[in-house]
Amino acid sequence: MAPAPAAVADAGSIRKAVQGWGTDERTLIEILGGRRTPTQRAEVRRAYAELYRESLLDRLRAELSGDFRDAVVLWATDPAERGARLANAALAAAAAAGGKWRTAAMSDQHAWALAEVACASAPDHLVAVRRAYRSLFGSSLEEDVAACPALQDPLRKLLVSLVRSYRCETDTDLVDEDVAGLEAAALAEAIRKRKQPHCDEVIRIVSTRSKRQLRATFERYEQDHGAGIDEDIAKHSSSQFAKILRSAVWCLTSPEKHFAEAIRYSILGFGTDEDTLTRAIVSGAEIGMDKIKEEYKARFKTTVTSDVVGDTSGYYKDFLLTLVGSED
């Protein structure tokens, strides 16, 4: 099947931008950072490969550098492959730290990456990520999470359960209100009373129920107990497990909360965590940046745009701002 005319035009413009003595970064930002769907970006990659007999991603890696290169390549990558590579990179970084320091545990940002891949997108996307992971790395994502030396139970058990899950999600799925009430009570018992968010029942509920069912359960939790489950997780436990559980809860039912926090985390302190910032904005833009910007402004009394401008520079800044989009 011949590539779509628009994809051919984009591929031609990209080719002109990367040929010659210098790279036309502005054109790359305009085309690759524009509001094209994953399907349209896939068509551009295919058109480029067919027209010029080389991989677009390989050419971008060769032409660009630094954080700008990383952001552009990540955004231009097929979403399933992107998720697989993000998960593998998180596991590799955590394993390297553990090997060097022996007692090093997986950092929050690397655990966040796994929670995002497992929970923030549709169940079919996670299936595609697992398939891409096996194709790219010759092992299963579940096996590699389970074997990561920087992960210990109960966090390992949670992350394994999340990456192996398949949640049935259709427009006709019905919410069982009786189950929502029972499981809201079970969650409250574990989190509020026993202060054990790591218990098996919590992991089972969060890793197996559909997103629609979980929303009903969490709404019932707040109705019955006067606080959101995310608030209670933070209030009753300060462990790393609790932080990642809260992120998983957010990714499953209101991912804008997680991505807003990840962006904010990446820019606080003495230096910018560019890896987390890039991942959060690229993944967030795929899921829905408008809600993230609204959440960010409401929680932090500033904008994503102003914080990106304040903490980044050059073409990297310009590309991130293109993904963020206009903001008052």
Side-chain angles (χ1 to χ4, degrees):
M1 184 175 65
V8 171
D10 281 347
S13 297
I14 291 171
R15 182 69 170 182
K16 291 179 182 177
V18 298
Q19 280 188 317
W21 291 104
T23 303
D24 182 355
E25 290 88 355
R26 295 294 178 191
T27 294
L28 294 179
I29 292 172
E30 180 181 348
I31 295 174
L32 296 173
R35 294 303 180 187
R36 288 163 177 77
T37 66
T39 298
Q40 290 169 328
R41 296 198 300 275
E43 290 173 350
V44 172
R45 290 193 303 272
R46 183 166 66 88
Y48 189 94
E50 291 184 7
L51 289 168
Y52 306 113
R53 297 295 184 265
E54 67 176 2
S55 161
L56 173 58
L57 297 182
D58 287 347
R59 187 58 183 256
L60 292 173
R61 291 187 185 101
E63 292 289 332
L64 308 178
S65 62
D67 296 319
F68 177 53
R69 175 198 59 207
D70 295 344
V72 171
V73 170
L74 194 63
W75 177 247
T77 299
D78 171 77
E81 180 182 342
R82 179 198 304 146
R85 291 191 181 280
L86 286 172
N88 183 261
L91 290 168
K100 181 177 181 180
W101 301 111
R102 299 293 181 184
T103 59
M106 176 173 281
S107 66
D108 289 350
Q109 58 265 42
H110 294 137
W112 280 344
L114 294 172
E116 291 165 13
V117 167
C119 302
S121 298
D124 287 344
H125 174 73
L126 178 56
V127 173
V129 168
R130 291 198 294 254
R131 189 179 301 118
Y133 192 98
R134 181 174 287 279
S135 175
L136 289 166
F137 305 112
S139 58
S140 78
L141 176 56
E142 175 188 341
E143 290 169 343
D144 283 359
V145 173
C148 180
L151 274 173
Q152 301 294 324
D153 287 334
L155 182 57
R156 174 170 52 192
K157 185 172 184 178
L158 173 66
L159 291 174
V160 168
S161 297
L162 292 176
V163 301
R164 75 189 296 185
S165 69
Y166 181 78
R167 306 171 196 275
C168 183
E169 299 281 350
T170 68
D171 292 338
T172 59
D173 285 344
L174 297 177
V175 169
D176 190 322
E177 295 294 347
D178 291 336
V179 169
L182 289 171
E183 293 190 338
L187 290 169
E189 172 72 21
I191 295 167
R192 293 171 67 95
K193 294 183 180 179
R194 292 191 282 122
K195 296 181 175 52
Q196 294 181 342
H198 54 274
C199 76
D200 288 348
E201 185 69 351
V202 173
I203 294 175
R204 180 192 68 79
I205 293 169
V206 171
S207 63
T208 61
R209 294 302 187 191
S210 72
K211 293 186 177 184
R212 186 173 295 182
Q213 183 67 42
L214 285 173
R215 288 189 189 97
T217 297
F218 298 158
E219 287 172 5
R220 182 66 177 272
Y221 185 107
E222 187 165 5
Q223 291 170 7
D224 291 348
H225 304 289
I229 186 172
D230 54 340
E231 297 174 87
D232 275 354
I233 290 170
K235 178 180 178 181
H236 295 292
S237 177
S238 60
S239 67
Q240 184 187 38
F241 177 92
K243 293 177 186 177
I244 305 309
L245 175 64
R246 186 181 67 160
S247 292
V249 165
W250 280 344
C251 285
L252 287 164
T253 59
S254 48
E256 65 275 5
K257 293 183 178 180
H258 167 76
F259 286 109
E261 180 155 297
I263 292 169
R264 185 67 172 175
Y265 163 86
S266 71
I267 62 164
L268 293 179
F270 293 106
T272 304
D273 181 348
E274 288 86 0
D275 288 344
T276 299
L277 179 60
T278 298
R279 190 189 75 242
I281 289 183
V282 167
S283 299
E286 203 79 271
I287 291 167
M289 184 55 72
D290 287 343
K291 286 187 176 181
I292 295 171
K293 290 185 290 190
E294 291 173 6
E295 177 70 21
Y296 198 92
K297 191 171 185 178
R299 286 177 62 187
F300 304 119
K301 311 307 178 189
T302 184
T303 65
V304 175
T305 297
S306 62
D307 279 353
V308 168
V309 169
D311 269 60
T312 62
S313 62
Y315 295 124
Y316 176 57
K317 176 194 71 177
D318 295 340
F319 186 71
L320 293 185
L321 291 177
T322 302
L323 297 186
V324 169
S326 61
E327 191 167 13
D328 296 331

